[in-house]
Amino acid sequence: MAAFDAPRTGRHRVGTVSGVVGAVLAAGRGSRLGAPKAELILDGERLVDRAVRVLTDGGCGRVVVVVREGVNVPEADVVVNPDPDRGMRSSLTLAVDAADAVGSPDAIAVVLVDMPGVTAAAVRAVVRAWRPGRILVARYRNGRGHPTVMSPQLWRAALALAGPDEGARALLALRPELVDEIDTPGAADDLDSPADLARWQQD
């Protein structure tokens, strides 16, 4: 497997899984919430920083994050989506291209910025269980969630099937024989509305 250098910030990474790049999709407008989600603060931390930290602590050798213009993320390789209103597929395309550019990874572990229930332990379990040619998906008590881990080639196959605001769902439905699930701690709930945010802040 390919090895990756430390990020530009020089943060030391313990337990890195060689050959796996993490990717955070964080360019959404947050229309139902009323504000972009990446810079929302939860437990004293921006959601985008939380997602990057979870991937890093979960063993990803490097992390790329796709954001709207003007968002700075010191601990990751930042990619700006110039037109995020095109939908999630546009951000996923940029993430896959950026991950390839930082070292031709064996696999890319994708998370969404609005899933604060994803834990480093969940990332670690899925990343370590991944094998070439397979698609690894985290399973939580309330169903499938992120991260989803697969090779760049399979991510490009997913992009070819995805609608404008979709990611891997169509590929997973089309090729179920490639999909493995692993039970993980945490929750798959996303943060879509002010009520969702209030619930997370109360927990």
Side-chain angles (χ1 to χ4, degrees):
M1 289 186 177
F4 293 91
D5 296 330
R8 288 190 293 265
T9 58
R11 178 178 177 183
H12 180 58
R13 298 189 169 188
V14 178
T16 296
V17 179
S18 181
V20 180
V21 168
V24 181
L25 307 186
R29 181 171 53 182
S31 55
R32 282 181 286 178
L33 189 62
K37 301 173 185 177
E39 297 196 281
L40 286 175
I41 305 295
L42 191 63
D43 296 329
E45 185 177 33
R46 294 187 308 170
L47 287 182
V48 65
D49 296 321
R50 182 189 187 112
V52 170
R53 175 177 55 80
V54 162
L55 286 171
T56 300
D57 292 348
C60 292
R62 198 155 188 169
V63 177
V64 299
V65 55
V66 182
V67 297
R68 302 174 76 86
E69 187 173 359
V71 179
N72 181 40
V73 189
E75 295 290 340
D77 292 282
V78 175
V79 180
V80 174
N81 187 335
D83 187 8
D85 291 341
R86 293 176 297 170
M88 185 170 65
R89 184 180 63 193
S90 67
S91 288
L92 180 57
T93 301
L94 291 169
V96 172
D97 289 345
D100 264 345
V102 299
S104 300
D106 296 301
I108 304 169
V110 174
V111 300
L112 306 182
V113 77
D114 65 350
M115 287 189 163
V118 175
T119 66
V123 172
R124 191 176 303 113
V126 178
V127 165
R128 289 182 175 177
W130 177 82
R131 295 294 179 267
R134 306 300 297 174
I135 301 170
L136 253 290
V137 182
R139 173 164 285 280
Y140 299 90
R141 63 182 182 272
N142 56 339
R144 279 182 176 177
H146 287 79
T148 301
V149 182
M150 63 179 109
S151 68
Q153 293 80 8
L154 282 171
W155 276 115
R156 294 192 187 283
L159 287 165
L161 296 169
D165 206 33
E166 294 178 343
R169 184 177 303 173
L171 179 64
L172 269 59
L174 182 67
R175 300 298 305 273
E177 75 280 6
L178 300 181
V179 180
D180 298 318
E181 297 180 0
I182 184 166
D183 290 333
T184 55
D189 304 292
D190 53 7
L191 199 164
D192 268 345
S193 68
D196 294 336
L197 180 59
R199 280 194 295 271
W200 277 105
Q201 290 172 332
Q202 290 168 2
D203 289 341

